Amino acid sequence: MASVSISSQLNKAVRQQYMSLPQGGKSQVTYIWIDGTGEGLRNKTRTLDQEPSTILDIPEWNFDGSSTYQAEGSNSDMYLVPVRMFRDPFTHDPNKLVLCEVLKYNRLPAETNHRRRCSEVMEKVKEHCMWFGMEQEYTLLGIDGHPYSWPLNGFPGPQGPYYCGVGADNAYGRDVVECHYKACLYAGINIYGTNAEVMPSQWEFQVGPCEGIEMGDQLWVARFLLHRVCEDFGVVATLDPKPMKGNWNGAGCHTNVSTKQMREEDGLQFIEKAIEKLGQNHAAHIRSYDPRGGKDNMRRLTGLHETSNISDFSAGVANRGASIRIPRQVGQERKGYFEDRRPAANCDPYAVTAIIAATCLLEPEQEVEKQDTEEEKSN
Ligand code: ADP
Ligand code: MN
Ligand code: MN
Ligand code: MN
């Protein structure tokens, strides 16, 4: 038996009795933000007098950055700036989840706030109507850190029957997957689908297509929902790109991309042009595709287990061992989208979509400057 958390075993029928109490027209709003690790999510809740109808009805707030690896020196208050609102699938209407950008005391973006630069890039390329779809792979663990439902001593049978599998011997933890899917639909996430992955206890959901900055917003909130659903079941979802060493698949966050031109008749030529530019920028992309500048992905992008080698760039139709894959149907129809298979499961979707948009659509002199610490130092 995999170990599940004690609090997941609290009496859920008792909880239900309180959850159905009327709340006097007030609205609970849960602010969600990315912490100083660039991977972790934090949240806290406050009461608003009425249900907010748009993001503009939700006020800024703040939090103690010294407790989230985010504070600078003695200025530990950080600003939470609401950017996108969703329905709350845990406490239901009229309650909301609101994704926030984090600003420092001087109102400059926090170090791990990659959204700011991403939205600047997306603004510059907006006439291209760039769509993204991201495939989030993850692995379920017990709270002891061992893959959920794996034998305590030893391993499950080798990979083969698990991908898109069915049956208690093949699919581990489907309850989490189905509840997360429903939670996404209720919240207003543009969830595209889900499937069991190659390694047992590993799953995937896809979000998209989403235009521009919305990709990052939606994926971060979909991740929040996943962690929150897992909490109810007493298990943990890890986005580590290679949770188990050896002959087990890693976890990626394949990023599918198209522009208006690519989606139109004979768009394939624009896909090919984009791929050529991506090839000239391989190293910079790898640095942006996990939170540790490529170190995490080194464990995953080995050239085995349906991955490309981290140091090589390659592209091909229907090739799952390439950096970039053109889906077979796209090759046949000569229009559509391409898939960048390099981003790690724990990537920041803002960093990933920003560099893809900049590389494919901006000339070098147009590129938005990296958030500039130089300027700050001189102040
Ligand atoms: P795979 O065959 O690689 O496993 P999936 O079915 O898991 O692919 O995911 C396909 C992804 O492609 C979805 O996230 C979807 O939103 C995205 N997608 C589909 N059409 C487009 C498009 N025209 N532009 C960008 N993304 C797209
Ligand atoms: Mn997929
Ligand atoms: Mn997959
Ligand atoms: Mn894929």
Side-chain angles (χ1 to χ4, degrees):
M1 249 314 276
S3 64
V4 299
S5 73
I6 302 280
S7 67
S8 68
Q9 292 159 27
L10 288 174
N11 188 327
K12 301 301 177 187
V14 173
R15 179 181 189 272
Q16 201 42 49
Q17 187 186 325
Y18 294 94
M19 285 297 122
S20 51
L21 290 174
Q23 44 181 79
K26 304 209 176 190
S27 177
Q28 295 171 299
V29 179
T30 297
Y31 289 58
I32 299 169
W33 70 97
I34 300 160
D35 73 14
T37 65
E39 293 176 82
L41 285 161
R42 307 287 177 126
N43 69 102
K44 59 175 189 162
T45 305
R46 73 191 294 187
T47 309
L48 295 188
D49 283 339
Q50 54 210 349
E51 179 176 0
S53 31
T54 75
I55 192 80
L56 300 172
D57 296 334
I58 302 180
E60 279 190 18
W61 205 12
N62 49 59
F63 68 97
D64 168 18
S66 69
S67 303
T68 60
Y69 319 112
Q70 275 166 314
E72 284 201 345
S74 54
N75 282 311
S76 76
D77 267 13
M78 313 282 284
Y79 294 101
L80 288 173
V81 182
V83 293
R84 205 171 291 277
M85 184 173 82
F86 296 87
R87 293 167 74 201
D88 184 339
F90 306 105
T91 63
H92 302 172
D93 295 333
N95 304 317
K96 304 293 181 194
L97 303 176
V98 60
L99 181 69
C100 299
E101 269 195 39
V102 177
L103 305 184
K104 296 185 285 196
Y105 64 95
N106 54 12
R107 297 196 69 86
L108 287 170
E111 306 307 324
T112 53
N113 176 356
H114 299 296
R115 188 181 190 277
R116 190 50 73 85
R117 183 171 168 275
C118 183
S119 51
E120 285 163 15
V121 173
M122 294 309 172
E123 187 56 33
K124 287 200 175 175
V125 303
K126 70 168 181 244
E127 78 270 24
H128 291 278
C129 302
M130 199 170 218
W131 292 358
F132 298 96
M134 295 180 86
E135 304 169 45
Q136 179 67 67
E137 293 179 338
Y138 61 94
T139 308
L140 296 178
L141 309 174
I143 51 161
D144 56 0
H146 194 64
Y148 178 72
S149 244
W150 284 34
L152 263 190
N153 300 300
F155 296 91
Q159 294 183 162
Y162 309 109
Y163 171 73
C164 298
V166 63
D169 49 348
N170 293 324
Y172 301 176
R174 192 189 301 276
D175 282 336
V176 168
V177 177
E178 291 185 346
C179 293
H180 174 252
Y181 204 144
K182 291 278 188 184
C184 282
L185 290 173
Y186 182 93
I189 298 289
N190 186 14
I191 184 167
Y192 174 91
T194 189
N195 59 267
E197 269 304 334
V198 176
M199 183 177 98
S201 297
Q202 196 169 80
W203 298 84
E204 166 179 317
F205 66 88
Q206 306 95 28
V207 175
C210 294
E211 191 165 325
I213 193 67
E214 183 138 15
M215 182 71 251
D217 292 350
Q218 294 239 355
L219 187 60
W220 274 115
V221 175
R223 285 176 179 178
F224 176 83
L225 298 179
L226 177 65
H227 295 308
R228 179 64 185 75
V229 167
C230 282
E231 185 184 318
D232 278 345
F233 285 106
V235 299
V236 172
T238 178
L239 304 190
D240 188 281
K242 191 78 177 184
M244 297 310 280
K245 281 198 192 124
N247 223 357
W248 304 102
N249 273 35
C253 194
H254 299 166
T255 302
N256 300 274
V257 185
S258 65
T259 60
K260 194 161 164 285
Q261 288 175 319
M262 294 174 189
R263 293 187 294 269
E264 283 168 357
E265 226 40 50
D266 264 322
L268 190 61
Q269 55 178 311
F270 296 100
I271 293 175
E272 283 161 353
K273 258 183 216 154
I275 290 173
E276 198 185 312
K277 289 189 167 176
L278 289 167
Q280 292 158 0
N281 246 327
H282 179 64
H285 279 252
I286 290 295
R287 284 195 294 276
S288 300
Y289 282 1
D290 72 54
R292 269 161 285 274
K295 271 199 191 137
D296 282 344
N297 237 341
M298 242 152 65
R299 293 182 281 127
R300 164 180 169 255
L301 295 179
T302 57
L304 302 172
H305 305 111
E306 300 175 62
T307 69
S308 58
N309 189 289
I310 193 163
S311 47
D312 305 327
F313 181 86
S314 56
V317 175
N319 182 356
R320 290 176 189 264
S323 318
I324 307 284
R325 163 178 154 258
I326 298 174
R328 189 179 304 286
Q329 195 190 345
V330 174
Q332 280 162 0
E333 293 177 2
R334 302 188 59 77
K335 66 174 179 184
Y337 64 98
F338 67 88
E339 174 191 46
D340 189 339
R341 300 176 59 82
R342 296 170 295 173
N346 61 349
C347 68
D348 185 325
Y350 297 127
V352 170
T353 56
I355 193 169
I356 290 174
T359 297
C360 297
L361 298 174
L362 294 180
E363 297 306 321
E365 66 271 17
Q366 271 183 292
E367 284 190 27
V368 183
E369 289 297 309
K370 286 249 158 72
Q371 280 318 326
D372 172 285
T373 37
E374 294 313 310
E375 185 187 318
E376 238 176 277
K377 277 180 200 140
S378 61
N379 285 342

